[in-house]
Amino acid sequence: MANKLYPDAKAALEGLLFDGMTIMSGGFGLCGIPEKLIAALRDAGVKGLTVISNNAGVDGFGLGQLLETRQIAKMISSYVGENKEFERQYLAGELQLEFNPQGTLAERIRAGGAGIPGFYTKTGVGTLVAEGKEHKDFATASGTETYILETGLIADVSIVKAWKADPYGNLIFRKTSRNFNPMMATAGKVTVVEVEELVPAGTFDPDHIHTPGVFVQRLFVGRDYEKRIEQRTVRQREPA
Amino acid sequence: MWTRDQQAARAAKELQDGFYVNLGIGMPTLVANFIPEGVDVTLQSENGMLGMGPFPFAGEEDPDLINAGKQTITELDRTSYFSSADSFAMIRGGHIDLSILGAMEVADNGDIANWMIPGKMVKGMGGAMDLVAGVKKIIVLMEHNAKDGSAKFKTACTLPLTGKGVVDMVISELAVLARPAKGAPFRLIELAPGIDLDMLKARTEGHFEA
């Protein structure tokens, strides 16, 4: 077996980074983001990045760190509302932004990873998103409907956060931190994964593996996860 | 006139037993507080969860368990988790029965605009374009008029669209307008207490059948 295990984020990214590269980064909001790999990208100083990620982090955390250091040239995202520095750079024309509907973004990544160069979808028909894209009518159960062509996405490197891995790179995600991570794992020319726990080979029930190891090239265990919460909402216990 | 809670409660009357439902951020979230007795619905959160539970008790928040509004939540005995691709397969594949969401404008042909104001910082459409394109029934919960008093139910949207011809029902603090099928005209279904047809018409631009 090829060794997929690396000691830390810096070592796991060694030799993969170059200016102007495209990176996919997992997570929804701050949930399930590869926080160690993002910090290592910041420390590596690689520039002119195109980053494909549903969101852009918050000021000072997650992808917000790479915005502060001006390492990102372009974002492909569905929602970037939580980040003031993002807003400032965008309005100043320092940052390119391509909005994709969230489902279109997820499917473009899934398609890219599956070797599908394009697909037709109803999402965005009649909106700004459809401008300049091929339109095609299909017969459906509810009559003829118009669809638009969207293209698959791949990345030079995908950075992914999973809960647990085994040495073969089989991955298990936890609760809603799964989100974009499994598709991104399939769509990186090289996929680098950080996990909270490495388990011995044979520990996972093969029926329970979310991402098979074929999609994972490099792997390390992250320490001291911060896992920030954006909106801490709670309810009161009813008095006994 | 209905309060926000009453508006949400009116929207909750549209829930049917066994429905899978996606609630948007803001006022639509309140609908979860008014699910009628005997009606069992499963709430979908587009970040990858079916069977959304209430907020956690203080001290039991889990950063790996949030809803699409990035709020901490809990799971139920029916809960499943899945990827964003599977989540939007549910939404775009027509497997979700109902989506309730907010809007800045709705046109009387069913167009909806709720993601972008030209000249202002655009935060993104998130999952809204997918929801309006793929979910079986779309209910808009909104204030009847904008802050400047202009009607939000219009003859044509002036803002960039989220979806074309997709809205089935509009619930405002004044009235319920709905249509039996996409392509059909909107019709007045119900007036809020204290509102009559003339008052409604005076505050509405889009056409509807009385």
Side-chain angles (χ1 to χ4, degrees):
Chain A
M1 178 184 67
N3 177 38
K4 297 184 179 183
L5 294 175
Y6 288 75
D8 56 26
K10 186 182 177 201
L13 290 172
E14 188 69 44
L16 300 180
L17 304 180
F18 56 94
D19 289 348
M21 70 188 298
T22 297
I23 289 180
M24 282 184 191
S25 182
F28 181 95
L30 299 179
C31 183
I33 60 169
E35 51 179 90
K36 307 302 169 195
L37 285 161
I38 292 170
L41 282 175
R42 177 200 59 203
D43 295 344
V46 61
K47 286 189 183 61
L49 301 175
T50 293
V51 177
I52 301 167
S53 174
N54 188 55
N55 313 94
V58 297
D59 290 298
F61 193 64
L63 292 172
Q65 295 171 97
L66 303 185
L67 288 164
E68 275 175 14
T69 51
R70 312 289 178 90
Q71 287 170 268
I72 300 178
K74 181 179 180 183
M75 288 285 316
I76 301 177
S77 302
S78 86
Y79 189 84
V80 297
E82 331 290 351
N83 196 311
K84 285 271 174 293
E85 176 61 16
F86 187 105
E87 185 170 337
R88 195 200 62 71
Q89 288 184 24
Y90 177 70
L91 292 175
E94 298 166 15
L95 181 67
Q96 287 182 65
L97 172 58
E98 179 187 318
F99 277 128
N100 283 198
Q102 196 174 143
T104 293
L105 182 62
E107 190 65 12
R108 291 183 73 190
I109 298 164
R110 195 196 71 80
I116 297 168
F119 59 91
Y120 291 97
T121 180
K122 249 182 348 184
T123 297
V125 170
T127 75
L128 292 175
V129 163
E131 284 181 6
K133 288 176 184 162
E134 183 197 325
H135 287 57
K136 189 167 177 172
D137 289 343
F138 287 89
T140 71
S142 45
T144 299
E145 294 198 79
T146 303
Y147 292 71
I148 53 173
L149 179 65
E150 295 281 3
T151 55
L153 286 170
I154 56 167
D156 295 308
V157 170
S158 281
I159 57 174
V160 162
K161 163 71 176 26
W163 184 32
K164 296 180 181 183
D166 69 15
Y168 296 99
N170 295 313
L171 306 179
I172 290 181
F173 301 92
R174 185 171 180 273
K175 301 186 189 283
T176 56
S177 69
R178 191 183 317 186
N179 55 63
F180 281 81
N181 283 298
M183 295 88 74
M184 289 185 173
T186 70
K189 291 178 193 164
V190 181
T191 291
V192 184
V193 181
E194 58 179 87
V195 295
E196 292 172 55
E197 189 181 343
L198 182 72
V199 301
T203 305
F204 291 151
D205 180 336
D207 273 331
H208 293 173
I209 289 166
H210 295 140
T211 291
V214 67
F215 296 116
V216 175
Q217 282 71 50
R218 298 184 180 193
L219 181 63
F220 70 95
V221 180
R223 313 269 172 218
D224 304 320
Y225 273 93
E226 199 170 328
K227 290 198 188 180
R228 281 197 206 172
I229 291 174
E230 281 182 74
Q231 305 285 338
R232 188 179 298 273
T233 44
V234 297
R235 71 189 140 128
Q236 297 306 314
R237 281 178 204 279
E238 283 165 32
Chain B
M1 199 154 73
W2 285 313
T3 64
R4 279 166 66 86
D5 272 351
Q6 287 167 333
Q7 235 178 297
R10 178 60 189 82
K13 284 191 187 171
E14 300 301 319
L15 302 172
Q16 291 177 30
D17 196 38
F19 262 19
Y20 291 93
V21 178
N22 184 293
L23 299 177
I25 295 162
M27 197 180 353
T29 308
L30 297 176
V31 175
N33 300 333
F34 299 99
I35 297 170
E37 195 133 335
V39 173
D40 183 82
V41 301
T42 302
L43 298 179
Q44 201 252 16
S45 189
E46 65 264 26
N47 55 319
M49 179 183 197
L50 199 55
M52 204 180 3
F55 293 150
F57 294 118
E60 294 176 4
E61 308 93 312
D62 182 343
D64 289 337
L65 180 45
I66 63 169
N67 65 17
K70 286 127 188 168
Q71 297 170 310
T72 47
I73 47 162
T74 56
E75 62 188 27
L76 304 170
D77 63 357
R78 73 181 65 183
T79 298
S80 57
Y81 300 111
F82 34 82
S83 73
S84 302
D86 286 342
S87 180
F88 282 93
M90 290 174 199
I91 290 167
R92 293 150 67 110
H95 306 282
I96 303 295
D97 297 293
L98 173 64
S99 175
I100 302 178
L101 65 175
M104 298 188 274
E105 294 178 343
V106 174
D108 58 21
N109 65 356
D111 292 358
I112 176 173
N114 75 350
W115 77 284
M116 180 180 183
I117 300 174
K120 290 202 176 173
M121 177 62 197
V122 183
K123 294 181 172 183
M125 70 290 280
M129 286 191 183
D130 306 289
L131 286 161
V132 299
V135 171
K136 288 181 199 157
K137 182 172 181 178
I138 302 297
I139 297 180
V140 169
L141 205 50
M142 67 179 188
E143 286 160 350
H144 203 82
N145 301 87
K147 284 204 178 88
D148 66 2
S150 62
K152 293 174 72 171
F153 184 74
K154 302 175 108 65
T155 50
C157 291
T158 61
L159 296 169
L161 296 184
T162 307
K164 221 173 159 37
V166 294
V167 176
D168 297 291
M169 178 179 274
V170 175
I171 301 174
S172 75
E173 73 279 21
L174 304 185
V176 179
L177 304 172
R179 52 186 188 160
K182 313 240 195 249
F186 278 86
R187 194 179 301 161
L188 175 62
I189 302 295
E190 192 176 333
L191 285 164
I195 305 300
D196 63 33
L197 186 58
D198 287 340
M199 292 162 81
L200 180 65
K201 281 186 168 166
R203 288 179 56 182
T204 307
E205 179 197 302
H207 176 76
F208 61 89
E209 294 176 351

